[in-house]
Amino acid sequence: MPTADISPATHLAAEVATQPDDWARAAAVAAEYRAVLPQPGERVAVVGCGTSLFMSRAIAALREEAGQGLTDAWPASQLRLGREYDRYLFICRSGTTTEVVRAMEQVPAHIPRTVVCSSPGTPVLGLGDAILIDEVDEKSVVQTRFATTTLAILRWHLGADLAPAIAQARAVLAEDPAKSLAAVRHAEQISFVGMGFAASIADEAGLKLRESCQAWTEGYLATEYRHGPISIAAPGRAVWAFGALEPGFADDVAVTGAHLEHRDIDPMADLVRVQQLCLLRAADLGLDADHPRNLNRSIILEQ
């Protein structure tokens, strides 16, 4: 199979590379907007579409794990009203996604609405308390740094120290991905797994490869993987685990002959490795990683 190096000319490559600095700056953003981010004890709904939905699920898992209060994550197209939420938090890179605009308009006026967006002058910014992070906006259709920086803002807000994750991501970016990702570069199929917020990172990892290089990927809770999905594991395929491994998981994967990819690093830093894999595999296939097939930056539906 022909191979190629990551092209530094792609927007995706440039945007992936800024993430450690973006996450570091996110601490100041979290402090500046503390008053409009979810407060301890509030009942919160986090809302998004696509990648933003996966970040919503990650935020919900982290907030509940931190004991900050009930937190649900919903796709904007299936917003739950009437559940006595104290705040809605919307995530929308483009600021124009039809489902998000409609959902924000449906929230009763007396309930606080916060929206994280990277696109100035867009409709969602006038529909709630806006956190505009245009410094991480992207030219690539494929989301990377906007999503992870939004997650970083909420992690800082919840009291996490992201210094280790930032250092790990910088170390990842300093590696030669052709060597560090050799075992998964040509895998026929990859299943991503994780627990807690890492399960949402697993879903996001699979989406990135499907978008950028049309790969066969799936995402599961690590504990659910053995309840059926493991049946597709085989030599030439891979299982990529984010976060700590469940007891016995590595042994169960080994029996199948599939490769187990795992590093004991923060799932956000490990996601950077997946983003690099996207670039490698897209280059191998001669695909434009910035402009996935059948996909636009914003989904705008007819009224």
Side-chain angles (χ1 to χ4, degrees), residues 108-128:
H110 70 280
I111 303 177
R113 290 165 292 179
T114 300
V115 59
V116 183
C117 179
S118 64
S119 302
T122 53
V124 301
L125 298 176
L127 295 173

Side-chain angles (χ1 to χ4, degrees), residues 89-92 104 113-117 124-125 128-132:
L89 174 62
F90 292 87
I91 303 172
C92 184
M104 292 188 73
R113 290 165 292 179
T114 300
V115 59
V116 183
C117 179
V124 301
L125 298 176
D129 295 311
I131 301 176
L132 178 63

Side-chain angles (χ1 to χ4, degrees), residues 41-94:
E42 286 185 335
R43 296 170 57 92
V44 175
V46 193
V47 184
C49 299
T51 288
S52 293
L53 176 59
F54 296 145
M55 295 304 103
S56 298
R57 291 174 177 167
I59 291 163
L62 286 165
R63 188 169 183 268
E64 291 205 344
E65 182 180 315
Q68 293 282 309
L70 182 146
T71 316
D72 293 326
W74 300 109
S77 58
Q78 295 190 7
L79 186 68
R80 296 297 192 269
L81 299 171
R83 291 205 171 187
E84 298 183 354
Y85 292 121
D86 300 307
R87 183 182 304 273
Y88 287 82
L89 174 62
F90 292 87
I91 303 172
C92 184
R93 175 181 67 166
S94 70

Side-chain angles (χ1 to χ4, degrees), residues 222-292:
T223 49
E224 288 298 308
Y225 180 71
R226 289 174 284 199
H227 291 273
I230 196 171
S231 61
I232 62 170
R237 299 175 183 178
V239 180
W240 189 314
F242 291 95
L245 290 175
E246 290 295 298
F249 189 87
D251 292 338
D252 289 341
V253 173
V255 170
T256 71
H259 168 74
L260 176 62
E261 186 74 14
H262 177 254
R263 280 196 188 180
D264 188 18
I265 61 176
D266 189 281
M268 275 173 48
D270 210 11
L271 181 60
V272 176
R273 299 181 66 230
V274 177
Q275 294 163 349
Q276 290 184 311
L277 181 61
C278 292
L279 291 158
L280 278 174
R281 292 182 65 145
D284 288 343
L285 296 168
L287 298 173
D288 181 353
D290 287 330
H291 300 95

